[in-house]
Amino acid sequence: MSVPLRAVQLNEANAFLKKHPEVLYVDLLIADMNGVVRGKRIERTSLHKVYEKGINLPASLFALDINGSTVESTGLGLDIGDADRICYPIPGTLSIEPWQKRPTAQLLMTMHELEGEPFFADPREVLANVVRKFDELGLTICAAFELEFYLIDQDNVNGRPQSPRSPVSGKRPVSTQVYLIDDLDEYVDCLQDILEGAKEQGIPADAIVKESAPAQFEVNLHHVSDPVKACDYAVLLKRLVKNIAYDHEMDTTFMAKPYPGQAGNGLHVHISILDKEGNNIFASEDPEQNAALRHAIGGVLETLPAQMAFLCPNVNSYRRFGAQFYVPNSPSWGIDNRTVAVRVPTGSADAVRIEHRVAGADANPYLLMASVLAGIHHGLTNQIEPGAPVEGNSYEQNEQSLPNNLRDALRELDDSEVMARYIDPMYIDVFVACKESELAEFENSISDLEYNWYLHTV
């Protein structure tokens, strides 16, 4: 970090501590490959040292599987002596944790080599590398997420989740009731605390809607003209939602498909692009006639099979797909059509944008964003046409063609020459190694259903 930047950050720390003399601790946070937040807790007196010198964490933090164990085949564990790298604060992310009983703040970090260069395996840096390609074209990306989650009971039933009892009626919800305002009222204190906590932390969340299953909700984030920051907000929002729910004696899940027969949790991203004069290059009275929009969509659709491992990174991710749940299973696009992979919402001409509807809430936001932007850049620079937009039900017109399991998705990613031009092949190797390790462990397990079917019958 440069000296001027360090001075600015120290001023940020000084101003925050002066404003919040009650703060006792600061959580230093960094999101791993799975989007799981890890890090250290320090006393407030150590905050200046963090800004001046950073903190050490092992490089293997980005080679952890979903259970937090190092995947040695990545080469980031014992092969390098489980060596440390240095993590520096991300400006503008120092904020209060409103759920803590002992006043505590939080600060996002990003990992660097000891010599100062960004560490290649930090997903935040993976995204930053893609964004730089747009910077070279003089283009600015505006982005926003829609994040779905379930409120669940803190007590499960035989290891399975269940909806929490309403603090208002005492009943467990059982019906879908999409957009029902009364269901928001059933959990109003928790949901309002989420919005108020987001405001306190500077997270631009402006609305919560009831989604398509019992106790399922969606939080909408405002668009920001920095896709990396948009992902920072998504990571912090998930942590906020979880902890506010705990305060209300409930739990949450962002698992892609927690309930058979119910909708899964999605993570939709909206993207528009501004030129050097600040004009939206997708703006059009007739989106189908906008060449930049068509080419961007064409690139996304062409690369979508190779993106799937980043969009749907877990075994459970692929259980979310199904026509009745509005999860697209083919590379398709349309105007104001929720059955397609890439939707162009209707509205004012200046607000035309891409809504990418494939990823689950279990995706790492940085890797999701990097994938979609890679597709957009590929389409813009190669003028790829997407074909005609789908009108009506895409599921009836297009056969399922996207990878429908993690193994096939990893193969598509590993074999993609286009994705390797945008995502460091060394990072792709690390990601694939971690996910293949998880997949092998999953496939070596024996499910209850297998015992029920085969133990006494064959």
Side-chain angles (χ1 to χ4, degrees):
M1 293 199 309
S2 66
V3 173
L5 178 57
R6 185 178 292 118
V8 169
Q9 291 193 357
L10 280 171
N11 290 337
E12 177 181 276
N14 288 332
F16 182 87
L17 293 176
K18 183 177 180 180
K19 182 179 179 181
H20 297 284
E22 76 282 3
V23 165
L24 301 175
Y25 307 102
V26 182
D27 289 340
L28 308 177
L29 312 175
I30 193 162
D32 72 6
M33 175 183 292
N34 290 295
V36 176
V37 174
R38 304 185 187 276
K40 293 182 178 181
R41 176 169 293 171
I42 61 169
E43 294 185 343
R44 65 176 284 140
T45 53
S46 299
L47 185 60
H48 288 99
K49 183 179 177 181
V50 171
Y51 275 96
E52 290 172 349
K53 298 182 179 180
I55 61 165
N56 289 338
L57 286 171
S60 60
L61 185 146
F62 294 114
L64 301 178
D65 64 15
I66 196 66
N67 292 313
S69 299
T70 301
V71 178
E72 293 296 342
S73 57
T74 61
L76 295 180
L78 297 178
D79 284 354
I80 60 171
D82 203 21
D84 280 341
R85 297 297 185 272
I86 191 164
C87 300
Y88 290 115
I90 297 169
T93 63
L94 183 58
S95 64
I96 292 292
E97 296 178 347
W99 59 84
Q100 296 283 8
K101 292 182 173 62
R102 296 177 178 84
T104 305
Q106 66 181 27
L107 178 63
L108 271 181
M109 313 290 286
T110 186
M111 187 174 283
H112 294 251
E113 298 285 0
L114 299 180
E115 296 78 17
E117 290 297 311
F119 185 54
F120 83 97
D122 186 335
R124 202 173 187 272
E125 177 60 17
V126 172
L127 170 57
N129 281 331
V130 180
V131 173
R132 290 184 191 106
K133 294 183 181 295
F134 288 85
D135 295 340
E136 293 167 1
L137 299 176
L139 299 175
T140 299
I141 301 152
C142 292
F145 284 102
E146 297 172 346
L147 178 64
E148 295 175 343
F149 66 94
Y150 278 90
L151 291 174
I152 59 175
D153 203 294
Q154 290 184 331
D155 295 323
N156 57 46
V157 180
N158 298 322
R160 303 294 178 93
Q162 61 178 340
S163 298
R165 293 190 183 278
S166 160
V168 175
S169 67
K171 300 176 182 178
R172 299 189 195 277
V174 294
S175 59
T176 298
Q177 302 295 0
V178 65
Y179 301 127
L180 185 68
I181 292 294
D182 288 350
D183 275 15
L184 294 178
D185 290 338
E186 294 285 345
Y187 301 98
V188 63
D189 288 339
C190 177
L191 299 176
Q192 285 303 119
D193 281 353
I194 289 171
L195 288 179
E196 290 171 12
K199 183 177 180 180
E200 188 172 355
Q201 292 195 319
I203 300 170
D206 66 346
I208 294 181
V209 297
K210 172 66 176 65
E211 267 299 334
S212 302
Q216 187 190 34
F217 301 93
E218 176 185 274
V219 182
N220 301 143
L221 290 165
H222 280 304
H223 74 272
V224 292
S225 56
D226 181 344
V228 181
K229 187 180 289 290
C231 294
D232 292 342
Y233 288 143
V235 167
L236 295 176
L237 178 63
K238 288 181 75 171
R239 186 166 188 259
L240 174 74
V241 168
K242 290 179 180 181
N243 283 286
I244 294 296
Y246 292 150
D247 264 2
H248 289 268
E249 299 183 346
M250 288 181 283
D251 207 339
T252 54
T253 184
F254 296 88
M255 185 177 178
K257 187 75 168 182
Y259 297 108
Q262 297 287 2
N265 287 319
L267 181 60
H268 297 173
V269 59
H270 293 248
I271 295 174
S272 57
I273 298 177
L274 308 182
D275 62 19
K276 293 178 181 178
E277 285 72 44
N279 301 309
N280 179 8
I281 68 172
F282 296 156
S284 177
E285 294 290 347
D286 183 359
E288 196 174 348
Q289 300 306 313
N290 182 301
L293 179 64
R294 292 199 317 273
H295 296 156
I297 293 171
V300 170
L301 298 185
E302 184 174 284
T303 56
L304 191 51
Q307 296 174 9
M308 286 295 288
F310 287 141
L311 308 179
C312 302
N314 301 305
V315 173
N316 176 260
S317 305
Y318 297 86
R319 301 189 188 280
R320 176 173 151 262
F321 288 78
Q324 70 271 36
F325 299 121
Y326 291 93
V327 184
N329 56 17
S330 65
S332 53
W333 79 286
I335 309 295
D336 196 19
N337 188 334
R338 286 184 168 85
T339 71
V340 296
V342 176
R343 171 179 174 253
V344 179
T346 55
S348 67
D350 291 341
V352 174
R353 62 194 184 277
I354 287 172
E355 180 190 2
H356 197 285
R357 299 177 52 80
V358 180
D362 56 337
N364 181 312
Y366 302 106
L367 300 179
L368 159 59
M369 185 73 77
S371 302
V372 177
L373 292 181
I376 290 174
H377 188 277
H378 174 63
L380 289 174
T381 54
N382 292 280
Q383 299 185 352
I384 297 171
E385 292 290 344
V390 174
E391 297 182 8
N393 189 342
S394 174
Y395 304 107
E396 294 180 349
Q397 301 174 49
N398 296 296
E399 292 186 4
Q400 185 274 325
S401 59
L402 293 174
N404 63 1
N405 63 83
L406 182 56
R407 185 171 297 284
D408 287 346
L410 292 171
R411 287 173 179 154
E412 290 275 3
L413 173 61
D414 214 16
D415 292 343
S416 174
E417 294 181 3
V418 174
M419 292 302 288
R421 293 201 292 267
Y422 291 91
I423 311 291
D424 187 336
M426 288 199 309
Y427 185 75
I428 291 176
D429 288 346
V430 168
F431 181 88
V432 170
C434 281
K435 291 301 168 181
E436 284 183 341
S437 174
E438 290 179 12
L439 188 57
E441 185 173 347
F442 176 84
E443 290 177 342
N444 285 333
S445 67
I446 301 175
S447 68
D448 290 343
L449 190 59
E450 289 174 86
Y451 285 119
N452 291 338
W453 280 7
Y454 308 124
L455 187 62
H456 299 295
T457 56
V458 295

